[in-house]
């Protein structure tokens, strides 16, 4: 028997952090607003649609954002508020389906193939959910409806803000062919540039490449690219996907030049990570330290143990030892990070808990904007 066509919804809040700030402070409404750090090495975490008209985008250095929009208003992030609103929205989702996979605080996949309210179509489910979100939070959301996750994600971008779009099974393959591969979720700037060098610019170009060719050039991801070029994606909506890592990193206002400065900074970062571990009960076996020099060259060092890290002293000591392995410093240091991974999967640390993002400085290696922030855990300072 042919399996039933799945009904997948991707809900994406519109300029979530900035919209929450404009909702809570009427003086910000209608103004170009950026949530994040305004200092010299600050970064935009989220931009209102008024700011986006000037070209301001998330993950953009604040200095550049202010050049594009001199009237830009910076607002410090309030994670406790964003988490509370995100919880409200998730409660709405769960009235319709238990199959909710959060990607971050502001977006999620829902499988409504069989929804709890018996609504006959996914389009009506998405319409009702968006109306509920607006009524209960005062915020707008966009939604994409399709037969798999990949296409639902693409669809949610088609009518932003406050819109909805459907990609049917009949539309899927042809729809993918018309798009530039840089718009595909999971194809970040580095992968898009590599595809460009290989002559792959659109979904149609990607479809013309053999599985063997894509595997040769993109490894395991080749099979995924081969499938999505045909509108195929068999991934399930997985509720409360376990977090893979939890970390904190900072780009410093002034470069760190001595080992003592680096060690002090590493201890502070380790303290933030351990505070999250204590709050969530998560324990990991692998500690990683990241160091980025002023010339943007980045080094990482990791150490894994047989048992999970048991306390702040152990985490801090391991992180400092890893940092010392990078001494003597070749150049001044602009960024440091500490991460714990290899979690006990029994701990309560799903991806929706809290994003990690370096608001005081741009995270120059991000591949896919805010969605990848869900891999981290510790709020910025």
């Amino acid at each position: 028997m042919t399996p039933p066509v799945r009904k997948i919804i991707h809900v994406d809040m519109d300029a979530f952090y900035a919209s929450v700030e404009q909702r809570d402070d009427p003086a910000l409404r209608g103004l170009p607003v950026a949530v994040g750090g305004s200092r010299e090495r600050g970064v935009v975490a989220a931009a209102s649609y008024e700011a986006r008209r000037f070209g301001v985008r998330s993950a953009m250095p604040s200095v550049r954002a202010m050049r594009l929009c001199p009237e830009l208003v910076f607002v410090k992030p309030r994670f406790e508020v964003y988490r509370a609103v995100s919880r409200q929205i998730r409660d709405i989702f769960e009235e319709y389906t238990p199959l909710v996979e959060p990607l971050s605080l502001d977006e999620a996949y829902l499988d409504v193939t069989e929804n709890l309210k018996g609504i006959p179509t996914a389009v009506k489910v998405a319409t009702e959910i968006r109306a509920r979100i607006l009524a209960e939070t005062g915020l707008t959301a966009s939604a994409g409806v399709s037969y798999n996750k990949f296409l639902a994600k693409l669809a949610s971008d088609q009518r932003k803000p406050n819109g909805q779009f459907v990609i049917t099974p009949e539309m899927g393959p042809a729809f993918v062919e018309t798009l530039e591969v840089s718009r595909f979720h999971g194809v970040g700037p580095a992968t898009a540039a590599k595809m460009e060098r290989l002559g792959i610019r659109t979904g149609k170009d990607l479809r013309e490449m053999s599985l063997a060719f894509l595997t040769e050039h993109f490894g395991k991801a080749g099979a995924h690219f081969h499938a999505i070029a045909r509108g195929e994606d068999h991934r399930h909506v997985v509720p409360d996907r376990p977090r893979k890592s939890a970390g904190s990193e900072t780009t410093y206002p002034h470069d760190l030049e001595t080992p003592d400065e680096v060690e002090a900074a590493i201890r502070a970062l380790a303290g933030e990570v351990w505070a999250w571990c204590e709050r969530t009960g998560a324990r990991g076996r692998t500690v990683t330290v990241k160091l980025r020099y002023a010339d943007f060259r980045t080094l990482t060092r990791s150490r894994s143990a047989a048992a999970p890290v048991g306390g702040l002293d152990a985490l801090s000591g391991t992180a400092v030892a890893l940092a010392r392995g990078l001494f003597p410093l070749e150049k001044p240091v602009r960024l440091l990070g500490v991460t714990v991974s290899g979690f006990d999967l029994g701990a309560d640390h799903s991806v929706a808990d809290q994003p990690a993002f370096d608001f005081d400085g741009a995270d120059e290696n991000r591949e896919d904007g805010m969605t990848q922030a869900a891999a981290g855990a510790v709020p910025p300072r």
Side-chain angles (χ1 to χ4, degrees), residues 41-242:
R41 294 192 180 183
V43 70
V44 175
S48 68
Y49 282 94
E50 295 86 353
R52 294 182 189 191
R53 296 191 189 104
F54 292 87
V56 178
R57 294 290 184 269
S58 63
M60 176 180 287
S62 299
V63 171
R64 182 182 174 198
M66 287 185 284
R67 284 200 298 265
L68 292 172
C69 180
E71 304 302 317
L72 190 62
V73 179
F74 275 90
V75 180
K76 292 182 178 179
R78 298 182 298 153
F79 275 107
E80 69 285 354
V81 176
Y82 309 148
R83 283 196 298 274
V85 177
S86 182
R87 183 66 255 181
Q88 276 186 278
I89 295 166
R90 180 156 179 186
D91 287 344
I92 294 171
F93 294 160
E94 290 175 348
E95 290 185 29
Y96 294 83
T97 176
L99 299 178
V100 178
E101 180 180 338
L103 299 180
S104 61
L105 293 179
D106 63 342
E107 62 176 324
Y109 289 114
L110 290 70
D111 187 329
V112 296
T113 307
E114 296 181 3
N115 68 83
L116 298 175
K117 293 182 177 289
I119 299 172
T121 70
V123 172
K124 289 184 178 180
V125 174
T127 300
E128 187 170 311
I129 285 174
R130 291 175 51 241
R132 289 276 307 278
I133 291 172
L134 179 61
E136 296 182 28
T137 72
L139 302 170
T140 63
S142 296
V145 181
S146 195
Y147 57 96
N148 64 44
K149 292 166 73 173
F150 171 68
L151 290 172
K153 172 78 171 174
L154 287 177
S156 66
D157 285 335
Q158 292 298 114
R159 295 288 185 268
K160 269 189 164 291
N162 195 25
Q164 188 167 305
F165 189 74
V166 182
I167 301 175
T168 66
E170 293 74 24
M171 295 168 56
F175 183 85
V176 173
E177 284 189 357
T178 64
L179 297 180
E180 295 182 0
V181 292
S182 59
R183 290 191 56 190
F184 292 0
H185 178 53
V187 177
T191 302
K194 183 174 182 179
M195 287 187 174
E196 172 83 19
R197 293 192 297 270
L198 294 170
I200 304 171
R201 299 174 181 83
T202 66
K204 183 175 185 297
D205 295 333
L206 187 61
R207 185 185 179 107
E208 291 173 352
M209 300 299 171
S210 69
L211 175 58
F213 177 88
L214 293 174
T215 301
E216 176 187 352
H217 290 280
F218 299 99
K220 293 180 180 179
H224 175 67
F225 294 149
H226 186 265
I228 63 175
R230 291 156 176 76
E232 300 172 1
D233 180 7
H234 301 295
R235 293 174 300 158
H236 292 283
V237 172
V238 182
D240 292 325
R241 190 170 35 144

Side-chain angles (χ1 to χ4, degrees), residues 247-327:
S248 182
E249 65 180 42
T250 295
T251 302
Y252 297 96
H254 302 286
D255 293 338
L256 309 181
E257 297 187 351
T258 70
D260 287 346
E261 289 178 310
V262 169
E263 289 189 20
I266 288 290
R267 289 190 177 92
L269 293 169
E272 292 177 354
V273 176
W274 184 252
W276 179 86
C277 291
E278 285 279 82
R279 187 169 65 252
T280 62
R283 299 292 184 270
R285 292 175 170 80
T286 300
V287 178
T288 301
V289 165
K290 178 164 74 171
L291 179 151
R292 180 168 298 150
Y293 286 120
D295 63 0
F296 288 84
R297 189 163 66 92
T298 303
L299 303 175
T300 60
R301 294 292 185 270
S302 296
R303 180 179 298 173
S304 297
V309 175
L312 174 57
D313 289 345
L315 174 58
S316 181
T318 300
V320 168
L322 290 169
R324 286 173 178 168
L326 299 171
F327 297 162

